[in-house]
């Protein structure tokens, strides 16, 4: 073990907050160490956004190819080369990862170190690698270690080769029938993806609806779209036990209608995520965690330990790349610029990359009514949107929640073609306190999706 090496700043985890923070601190002249266990880029680049959305794009091409006749285009039989999809995904991930690592290594005053870190005292860690163990200490410590797929307590799970959201993207052949435990964002994206690749797919969801945080009508429409694509959906189902069945698996589930047995060739676990804190020994540094292991942090991202901050998924809350990056901006402004930035009232948009996409921002109708707000709800089916009809992509709807008095937009859900992009129009309007009446009368270029806002808000007073 080497003697402790002291830095101005120590960052644990090269994720979407850790990487830009390391470069910002080092560029400001602060001697900085960035410790990464596996690879630069965090979940987003390596196991999350980049690889999954790359594969979603491949699945959409297969979907459109099979629908070519709907557009008057004749093609032959459509097959999916999953190893080819995988190699395309790997190449894009490697390009993003390598570019980020090169920029880090070229940054003056920054040391990029690989190894497993654990706290050995206040603002002090031991980093273990193939080269042994070294001790690091710093004036400030920033934790950006992220999370990973949760492994549910399911009888028999140790006896079957279950997949998670990382390993499922490394398959070299299509599952004959994929059983997906979990009806959240991750599970549904993979369910539709593999169905479009050609697999049979069944989604098992414990909650009474898919996407339990969404409004009931949104979740119901998502289910309808998936079922139209050939995905079997079972809700209100508690997975009881699993066992090998030939070359596949047999899953026993309990539903309101009684016990059922489902058989599949592969099992995907997509029922939540857990933080990467179990090997950090946060207690040694006086860093408090909650019952699930997430690090407790205030709205300035400060932990219970002086000089220690938590950023990104490791602190719980909305687990999105853009949240992690905004955490970086908050810390940068406060630590380097003497600011007073916080997470209070942060407007967090997100997109579920189904096809069509579900873009969401602000309050849902259910949340607004639970708060006792007086609201009006505008709703427009996508089959009333000219652009969607022209593209033959008219599934879903647009929904906006408006304050009845001020007429300002409180939230929106766009389940439709390029739903995330259209949701961003709502987000910008909300940021600028633009009223629904202004959008109703705005001149949008025809025939863009955005012009649907004219008709959407015309429904409020009809």
């Amino acid at each position: 073990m080497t003697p402790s090496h002291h830095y101005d700043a120590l960052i644990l985890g090269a994720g979407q907050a850790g990487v830009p923070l390391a470069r910002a601190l080092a560029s400001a002249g602060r001697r900085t160490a960035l410790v990464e266990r596996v690879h630069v880029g965090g979940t987003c680049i390596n196991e999350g956004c980049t690889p999954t959305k790359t594969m979603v794009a491949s699945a959409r091409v297969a979907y459109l190819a099979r629908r070519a006749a709907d557009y008057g285009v004749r093609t032959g039989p459509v097959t999916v080369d999953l190893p080819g999809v995988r190699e395309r995904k790997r190449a894009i991930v490697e390009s993003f990862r390598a570019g980020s690592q090169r920029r880090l290594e070229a940054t003056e005053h920054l040391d990029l170190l690989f190894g497993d870190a654990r706290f050995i005292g206040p603002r002090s860690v031991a980093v273990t690698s193939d080269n042994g163990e070294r001790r690091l200490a710093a004036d400030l410590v920033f934790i950006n270690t992220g999370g990973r797929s949760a492994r549910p307590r399911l009888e028999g799970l140790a006896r079957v080769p279950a997949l998670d959201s990382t390993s499922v993207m490394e398959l070299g052949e299509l599952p004959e029938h994929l059983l997906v435990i979990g009806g959240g964002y991750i599970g549904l994206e993979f369910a539709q993806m593999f169905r479009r690749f050609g697999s049979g797919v069944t989604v098992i969801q414990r909650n009474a609806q898919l996407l339990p945080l969404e409004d009931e009508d949104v979740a119901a429409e998502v289910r309808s779209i998936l079922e139209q694509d050939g995905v079997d959906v079972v809700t209100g189902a508690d997975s009881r036990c699993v066992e090998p069945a030939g070359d596949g698996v047999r899953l026993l589930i309990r539903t309101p209608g009684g016990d059922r047995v489902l058989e599949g060739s592969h099992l995907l676990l997509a029922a939540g995520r857990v933080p990467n804190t179990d090997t950090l020994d946060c207690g040694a540094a006086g860093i408090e965690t909650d019952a699930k292991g997430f690090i407790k942090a205030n709205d300035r991202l400060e932990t219970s330990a002086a000089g220690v901050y938590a950023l990104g998924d490791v602190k719980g809350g909305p687990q999105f790349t853009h949240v992690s990056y905004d955490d970086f901006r908050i810390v940068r402004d406060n630590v380097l610029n003497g600011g007073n930035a916080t997470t209070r009232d942060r407007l967090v948009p997100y997109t579920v990359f189904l096809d069509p996409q579900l873009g969401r921002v602000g309050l849902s109708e259910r949340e607004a009514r639970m708060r006792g707000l007086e609201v009006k709800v505008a709703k427009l089916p996508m089959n009333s949107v000219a652009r969607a009809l022209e593209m033959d992509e008219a599934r879903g709807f647009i929904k906006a929640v408006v304050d009845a008095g001020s007429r300002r937009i409180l939230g929106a859900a766009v389940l439709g073609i390029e739903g995330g992009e259209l949701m961003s129009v709502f987000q910008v309007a909300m940021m600028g306190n633009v009223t629904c009446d202004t959008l109703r009368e705005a001149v949008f270029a025809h025939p863009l999706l955005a012009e649907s806002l004219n008709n959407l808000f015309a429904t409020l007073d009809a």
Side-chain angles (χ1 to χ4, degrees), residues 208-219:
Q209 71 174 46
L210 300 176
L211 304 177
L213 297 181
E214 305 297 338
D215 283 336
E216 185 177 345
D217 56 347
V218 173

Side-chain angles (χ1 to χ4, degrees), residues 309-328:
Y309 297 76
L311 304 87
D313 296 356
V314 75
K315 70 182 188 310
Q319 297 188 29
F320 302 118
T321 294
H322 43 286
V323 168
S324 188
Y325 189 79
D326 193 55
D327 287 350
F328 145 68

Side-chain angles (χ1 to χ4, degrees), residues 404-453:
S406 69
R407 308 282 283 186
R408 290 175 178 169
I409 302 164
L410 301 179
V414 184
L415 178 57
I417 182 70
E418 295 296 344
E421 301 293 344
L422 189 52
M423 172 273 292
S424 298
V425 177
F426 286 100
Q427 179 187 354
V428 173
M430 293 168 67
M431 292 168 65
N433 291 320
V434 176
T435 68
C436 64
D437 301 309
T438 299
L439 292 178
R440 183 188 62 206
E441 301 301 327
V443 179
F444 294 103
H446 176 77
L448 293 182
L449 292 166
E451 72 171 351
S452 62
L453 302 186

